Structures are given as C-alpha cells and as structure tokens.
Amino acid sequence: MDHAAVLARYDQDMREGARPDGPGARIERTGAVVRQVADAKGWNGVVWSDLDAASADGAIAEQVAYFTGLGRDFEWKLYGHDRPVDLASRLTAAGFRTEPEETLMIGEVARLALDAEPPTRIHVVQAADAAGVDLVVDVHEKAFGTDGTRLRHRLLARLAADPGTVVAVVALAGDEPVSAARMELVPGTRFAGLWGGGTVEAWRGRGIYRALVAHRARVAAAHGYRYLQVDASAMSRPILERLGFHALSTTTPYLYGS
C-alpha cells in the first residue's frame, strides 16, 4: 500500500469531502474548516482543517464561539498529520480536553484476510430493526461501560432514513449478545468505516472481534468499496494488522463543553 497516497485519498473523501453521518445533520465549510452540525443527540464537531501557525488560533476561537452559540458540546477530531504541528497544544490552551489517542488504520478490501469465522456456537445476525439495535446497544454498554442512548438514537434514525448506508451486526451465544459492531458505507467514496466493535469481557480472546471485522469486510466488498477504515484502540490494532490493515496516522478526540 502507498501510505501517503491512500492517506491523501482518505482526507479528500472522508474529511474535506465529508458527508453528514445521519438524518438531521449537515456539513458546513467555513474558511479552512469543515464541520458537522447536528442536534443535541448527534455528533457535532470539526472533521477537517487546513490551518497554519498564523490562522490556527483564530479558527479555533471561531469554532468555539459557533458551537457554544448553538448550545452544543463538540469535538475537534485531530489527526497526527494535521497542521500546524502544535495544533494539539493550541486546542488544549483553548480549553479542550483530550480523549485517548487511537490509530487510523486502513485496509484494501481485496487484500484483507476475510476467512475468519466466528467460533463454534456463536452466530452473527444483522441488526435491522429496533430489537436488533437494542442488542447492539446492550453489548456497547457492557463492553465499553458507557451509556448507549445516543448510539441507539443515531442507529435507529439511520436505519429509518437511509438503511443502505449502515450495517450493524451482533454475535450471539445462544440468545445472549456477546459482541457487536457497525459499518458505515459512505456513498460516492472509496471508503467504508468500521465502528463500535466491542466484545463483552467474558467473551474476549476467542476470535469474535476478528470474525465481525471479516464479516463486515465481505459486505463492503459486495458493495464495491475499495478500502476499510478503523480508528483502532491499542487492543484492536494487532488484530487488524494480522488481517491486513495498515497504520497510516493517529486520531485523537479533543472535546469542548460539559
């Protein structure tokens, strides 16, 4: 893989040319910043910027004023290759708080190892209705220890308004949901994004996460997508590398608000 070329395609398709991630959201370009604006239950934040030392502080202040004027908390999604090189410290100085860094990993679908299957007595189902979404959210809350209210809202809205752009899957041990994940198929781009992959603690280390990645990759291939993108944690990065993903950059959420 030509890392620089693929990263440039990713920035062009998924960041500078970002699409709204759900109904009711919109993408705005203001100066050298691209942002998403959504309701209070959606994701609000900066997805791309093209700044330098002279323009960065002013652009940060503009975004803070804009989102706080709307009464929205928001995220500045900072990538390791963004400029200026001290953008992270400028965000911190402006009052943003940092979430853990993840690795931007991209795999070319045709070159991934897609033969991983779930272990015995585990079966994978697609979550296409409210009952299925409840299973996804149940796993999310147990695996990550966070409230799944916003996830439920966003998944239900997306499935109702544009079901062809999202795939949510659940791994079941009998009737018990033990792992879940989703994939966003971005129309008009070469990329599909893998999100929310999590496994309940007692079921980790059995290859379920790997199987769900392979399952979604096969779906992406069937829809004609060339690349898969993941914001990978330290736990998932080695699994993804074994499947054929490449680490191209880092991504860190900088959060502003309550």
Side-chain angles (χ1 to χ4, degrees):
M1 178 184 289
D2 184 335
H3 288 195
V6 174
L7 185 59
R9 289 188 198 116
Y10 175 80
D11 282 343
Q12 179 184 4
D13 281 7
M14 304 298 286
R15 300 183 65 208
E16 187 177 6
R19 279 77 167 167
D21 71 357
R26 66 183 185 272
I27 296 295
E28 298 179 345
R29 178 162 189 159
T30 171
V33 171
V34 174
R35 65 193 178 204
Q36 175 169 292
V37 184
D39 62 23
K41 292 183 179 179
W43 186 86
N44 289 271
V46 172
V47 295
W48 179 85
S49 65
D50 183 19
L51 305 173
D52 56 27
S55 62
D57 290 338
I60 292 169
E62 288 174 8
Q63 300 311 309
V64 169
Y66 179 79
F67 282 106
T68 54
L70 294 177
R72 300 280 190 272
D73 297 344
F74 76 105
E75 173 185 332
W76 192 299
K77 192 170 175 64
L78 181 68
Y79 288 77
H81 59 288
D82 286 346
R83 298 291 181 265
V85 294
D86 63 347
L87 186 52
S89 61
R90 292 172 185 263
L91 290 168
T92 302
F96 288 77
R97 64 187 187 278
T98 311
E99 291 283 285
E101 178 184 277
E102 295 181 313
T103 302
L104 172 65
M105 304 193 73
I106 293 177
E108 191 166 4
V109 174
R111 300 189 178 196
L112 296 177
L114 302 182
D115 56 347
E117 296 293 340
T120 305
R121 293 189 294 276
I122 298 292
H123 63 286
V124 177
V125 299
Q126 189 162 328
D129 56 20
V133 169
D134 284 344
L135 295 176
V136 173
V137 172
D138 180 69
V139 171
H140 178 90
E141 292 182 336
K142 291 176 180 175
F144 299 112
T146 55
D147 181 75
T149 302
R150 285 191 175 188
L151 174 61
R152 178 182 285 107
H153 169 79
R154 291 172 65 185
L155 263 181
L156 288 173
R158 190 79 169 263
L159 287 169
D162 205 355
T165 65
V166 62
V167 175
V169 292
V170 184
L172 298 171
D175 294 328
E176 179 188 0
V178 297
S179 187
R182 66 188 191 277
M183 176 170 63
E184 296 184 1
L185 303 167
V186 185
T189 77
R190 292 158 281 196
F191 292 85
L194 303 185
W195 300 97
T199 302
V200 175
E201 186 173 4
W203 289 87
R204 292 172 187 163
R206 307 190 193 194
I208 303 174
Y209 173 84
R210 176 186 174 97
L212 290 187
V213 171
H215 177 93
R216 288 174 289 165
R218 290 191 292 267
V219 174
H223 284 80
Y225 284 85
R226 183 171 180 181
Y227 299 104
L228 287 177
Q229 167 261 323
V230 188
D231 292 350
S233 68
M235 183 182 299
S236 58
R237 176 173 174 169
I239 301 171
L240 294 165
E241 286 176 333
R242 290 193 292 272
L243 288 170
F245 285 78
H246 296 251
L248 299 192
S249 188
T250 60
T251 177
T252 306
Y254 280 77
L255 307 180
Y256 193 95
S258 57

